[in-house]
Amino acid sequence: MLETSSTGATAAQGEMTHSLKSGTGRGFDRRARLRWANKTFKMFCIACAVFVCLVLFLILFFMFRTGVLTFLDVSPLEFFFSADWTPEEDRFGALVFIFGTFALTALTLLIAVPVSIFIAIFLAELTPKWLKNMLRPVIDLLVGIPSVVYGYLGFTLLIPAIRSVTGTSMGDGLLAAALVLAIMVLPTISRLSDDAITAVPHKYIQASYALGATRFQTIFKVTLPAARSGIMYAVILGMARAIGETMAVVMVIGNTPQLASSLLTPTSVLTSNIVMQIPNVEFDSTWNNALYLMGFILLLISLLMIVAIRFLERKGARGA
Amino acid sequence: MKWFKGAALATMALTLVFGSFSASNTAEAASKKLSGKIVINGSSALLPLTLQAANEFKKLNPKVKISASAAGSITGPQSVRKGIADIGAVDWDATQDVPGFKKFDGQVAHKVAVTPFAAIVNKNVKVDDLTTKQLQDIFSGKVTNWKDVGGDNADIVVVNRAFGSGTRVNFQMKALMGTDFMTKGNNYKEVKSSGDMKTAVETTPNAIGYIDLPYVTSKMTALKINGIAATTENVVNGKYKVWGYGYYMTKGPATGAVKAFIEYVQSKEFQNGSLKKLKFIPLSAMK
């Protein structure tokens, strides 16, 4: 990335000197002025970049600093391995929420990934061009719908539906949340996988057909393996979105601090618990610190995802 | 030109960020006679009232600036203690201990309104009258089937507000006489706001919950408690006990513009006019 931008810069400089040579006698003035403008612009860009990095690190630092105070009153063992979250009585076991977050994300991906990949294969390989040009923008539009809309539809349409299908009296829980999230991450995963599949070099597919493979064999034995790192990238991006989603989840998960014994038990995840409780918690209390620590854990998880994406990107670039 | 646009945008963003910082800093600046700045934070239930009062007050005293926001009852007295806000709106008397929250020392509570609360059930529930004991049993999880309190054979779905909600504190103190809520169970869930409570009870069969009386709609049933209907008349004549005062908390006695504003909210003109229109009950109605 750095390399491309620096070559771009040298090209621009070359152009500049060239124009200076062909310019009139006042070239020196102009050069000084240009250099000044370039320098200022460069400084400005650097300042912006530094500012953004600073903000990120300050957020991390602040979340960590506040969160870590929890351990003054609660042992890490209790925080991470106890499922008893009764903050009114000073019992802070966050296992319920950590488990819930991972369970919800896993369930979401279980629903969303196969469907997304089939959509991607359909878009990239099986559709005539005119339909492709129509479907892609439609799927892109799904990304733009605010999550609160998904949550509200889940709350008012999906949950009554689950109730009538399963015969339970509530319907809130991991299943409802995972369905809502799956629809939310579907466009992200399917469009990025679509791009990855489209980017598979045509010669591989031609070679596969030349060897007498059917279309089905070609797609599953050649195209998908070749697009694997791109699809993984899409899945991780979708996962990052699912883990951090709050608004939609809080409306359908039930917000009860108990381990989910079934898909239909009301439960709670990191994001939903933070948003439910943070407005009503006293500043500087252990409870407040515990919520910050949960936020920090969530940040760490997303950062790890981003590192994973970078890693895959590099691997993918080397492979190609 | 492009970088100039970028620079202008960045400057604007910076001004916004730092502008909001300085706004919270000036909050503490003492206000002189009917000019100055009043910052109000706290209960979302009282926010409509506060906003209406602020609008009217600003018309009478153009030099006073009022900004009001709401993040939940407990943030009211907390913001006052931290010096972020001049007035903390709260649904209970924060100078006293209430279940779950300690009292705030050094603050003064000013009564500004009366809010009734109602226990509500979904339209499909046949029960329309519960005793205090039955309510306690349902919300603590001892009774889990409607047939045990005279309804159909169906599981009771309990919808609760999250800990720290002013409505929850009032309902717990006045309707449940202080007994604890259950905190988990297969048919138990918590919601974030009065609006969510309304939708949850409206759409979930066999659900029970509770809400401010102004929020009660025709799509739900407001329960009688011990045979007495939840109406403003019954609150005023003293029969219906599940109601609470809304309070404005200040650090020490109110002074200057803050005092004038609180007095305006408590004035007969506002209490019998706009406050009544917003479906709160005037303080003077209570004896």
Side-chain angles (χ1 to χ4, degrees):
Chain A
M1 243 179 160
L2 269 171
E3 270 170 23
T4 50
S5 64
S6 65
T7 52
T10 34
Q13 255 171 16
E15 238 175 55
M16 194 183 82
T17 43
H18 178 74
S19 71
L20 279 174
K21 272 176 197 160
S22 63
T24 53
R26 298 195 308 143
F28 195 72
D29 249 353
R30 195 166 119 88
R31 169 181 286 185
R33 211 165 57 232
L34 272 175
R35 186 179 293 159
W36 181 82
N38 278 355
K39 269 221 170 112
T40 323
F41 179 63
K42 196 172 157 194
M43 288 309 291
F44 181 71
C45 291
I46 290 174
C48 287
V50 168
F51 180 69
V52 169
C53 292
L54 200 69
V55 167
L56 174 69
F57 281 107
L58 281 178
I59 291 174
L60 268 176
F61 173 72
F62 180 71
M63 295 295 289
F64 177 73
R65 197 198 59 177
T66 317
V68 86
L69 292 175
T70 315
F71 294 135
L72 291 178
D73 308 286
V74 187
S75 73
L77 212 65
E78 187 197 336
F79 187 82
F80 289 107
F81 296 106
S82 155
D84 182 6
W85 176 265
T86 320
E88 305 94 290
E89 288 156 31
D90 291 326
R91 292 200 296 277
F92 301 91
L95 180 67
V96 175
F97 312 116
I98 298 170
F99 171 79
T101 297
F102 282 110
L104 177 59
T105 311
L107 193 63
T108 304
L109 292 182
L110 209 65
I111 301 169
V113 168
V115 179
S116 307
I117 289 178
F118 283 118
I119 293 177
I121 292 172
F122 176 71
L123 279 176
E125 299 285 323
L126 307 176
T127 333
K129 197 153 192 194
W130 62 270
L131 190 60
K132 218 184 273 188
N133 289 344
M134 245 171 60
L135 280 178
R136 280 184 177 156
V138 169
I139 294 176
D140 287 342
L141 277 180
L142 275 177
V143 184
I145 298 178
S147 59
V148 67
V149 174
Y150 286 109
Y152 191 70
L153 291 177
F155 192 26
T156 50
L157 298 178
L158 179 66
I159 284 185
I162 290 179
R163 219 181 274 139
S164 66
V165 169
T166 60
T168 51
S169 44
M170 288 204 54
D172 296 61
L174 285 179
L175 180 66
L179 283 172
V180 168
L181 281 186
I183 293 169
M184 284 185 64
V185 300
L186 206 75
T188 312
I189 303 181
S190 60
R191 283 292 279 115
L192 286 170
S193 307
D194 172 20
D195 289 346
I197 292 171
T198 315
V200 172
H202 213 57
K203 58 186 179 190
Y204 293 1
I205 295 157
Q206 295 290 349
S208 170
Y209 284 139
L211 287 170
T214 62
R215 197 181 222 185
F216 183 84
Q217 284 168 329
T218 307
I219 288 172
F220 280 88
K221 297 271 160 83
V222 177
T223 318
L224 283 186
R228 204 188 61 203
S229 80
I231 293 175
M232 277 302 291
Y233 175 65
V235 169
I236 291 179
L237 266 187
M239 196 161 147
R241 187 162 188 219
I243 276 191
E245 178 46 42
T246 311
M247 234 18 247
V249 173
V250 82
M251 294 171 98
V252 293
I253 197 139
N255 306 309
T256 311
Q258 58 190 349
L259 279 176
S261 54
S262 78
L263 293 182
L264 296 163
T265 314
T267 178
S268 211
V269 296
L270 286 168
T271 49
S272 68
N273 192 57
I274 293 172
V275 79
M276 282 288 289
Q277 304 199 324
I278 210 102
N280 297 321
V281 168
E282 288 189 57
F283 302 139
D284 303 328
S285 61
T286 311
W287 189 350
N288 188 46
N289 296 337
L291 291 179
Y292 272 94
L293 187 61
M294 283 163 57
F296 182 70
I297 292 169
L298 204 59
L299 259 177
L300 271 192
I301 296 174
S302 344
L303 283 183
L304 281 180
M305 305 249 133
I306 291 165
V307 170
I309 294 172
R310 290 270 157 228
F311 184 71
L312 280 177
E313 236 180 355
R314 207 169 303 154
K315 216 170 135 193
R318 214 188 303 141
Chain B
M1 258 350 249
K2 257 190 181 162
W3 69 267
F4 177 75
K5 246 188 198 167
L9 261 178
T11 333
M12 260 164 63
L14 281 176
T15 330
L16 268 176
V17 171
F18 290 108
S20 57
F21 271 123
S22 57
S24 53
N25 283 337
T26 49
E28 265 200 293
S31 41
K32 280 190 182 167
K33 221 177 181 187
L34 295 191
S35 67
K37 198 165 179 348
I38 308 175
V39 177
I40 305 166
N41 194 4
S43 157
S44 53
L46 289 171
L47 186 67
L49 184 149
T50 306
L51 287 176
Q52 179 63 28
N55 271 337
E56 294 174 17
F57 189 74
K58 272 188 271 189
K59 265 178 212 149
L60 296 172
N61 303 283
K63 278 193 176 171
V64 180
K65 278 186 184 152
I66 302 178
S67 59
S69 62
S73 270
I74 187 67
T75 55
Q78 281 182 0
S79 308
V80 170
R81 185 165 65 191
K82 281 216 154 187
I84 301 167
D86 306 294
I87 294 177
V90 55
D91 293 342
W92 66 84
D93 184 352
T95 58
Q96 309 290 323
D97 289 338
V98 295
F101 294 100
K102 291 207 181 72
K103 62 180 176 185
F104 287 78
D105 286 322
Q107 295 194 12
V108 179
H110 309 266
K111 284 178 192 170
V112 291
V114 175
T115 326
F117 302 97
I120 48 172
V121 291
N122 184 272
K123 267 283 172 203
N124 86 321
V125 175
K126 301 273 164 54
V127 178
D128 70 343
D129 186 359
L130 288 175
T131 64
T132 303
K133 178 84 179 67
Q134 285 170 326
L135 277 177
Q136 286 172 341
D137 287 348
I138 288 173
F139 279 99
S140 65
K142 269 182 221 147
V143 168
T144 57
N145 197 305
W146 280 112
K147 74 174 191 293
D148 296 332
V149 289
D152 295 335
N153 180 14
D155 283 340
I156 299 176
V157 175
V158 175
V159 188
N160 199 1
R161 292 285 301 276
F163 184 85
S165 141
T167 310
R168 172 168 160 154
V169 168
N170 274 296
F171 192 77
Q172 189 176 7
M173 288 195 304
K174 312 276 169 52
L176 305 182
M177 303 299 167
T179 46
D180 284 336
F181 288 107
M182 61 167 133
T183 55
K184 47 192 73 169
N186 280 330
N187 290 320
Y188 172 83
K189 76 173 203 168
E190 289 182 9
V191 291
K192 213 157 81 66
S193 64
S194 299
D196 288 347
M197 172 66 87
K198 177 172 153 281
T199 320
V201 173
E202 275 175 5
T203 58
T204 313
N206 303 310
I208 184 167
Y210 52 86
I211 205 162
D212 312 22
L213 196 56
Y215 275 99
V216 174
T217 64
S218 58
K219 288 186 203 157
M220 54 177 84
T221 313
L223 292 175
K224 290 178 194 159
I225 296 179
N226 300 321
I228 297 156
T231 59
T232 44
E233 294 82 59
N234 282 341
V235 173
V236 172
N237 65 27
K239 284 186 192 152
Y240 187 75
K241 305 286 185 199
V242 189
W243 56 271
Y245 285 114
Y247 293 89
Y248 280 173
M249 307 296 296
T250 53
K251 207 177 215 166
T255 51
V258 174
K259 186 169 180 226
F261 178 69
I262 293 176
E263 274 165 5
Y264 178 76
V265 175
Q266 290 169 336
S267 72
K268 264 202 183 124
E269 184 202 351
F270 182 77
Q271 292 272 325
N272 291 325
S274 307
L275 183 135
K276 243 184 177 170
K277 263 184 224 145
L278 293 167
K279 292 188 186 167
F280 291 91
I281 301 174
L283 292 170
S284 56
M286 307 305 301
K287 284 282 144 15

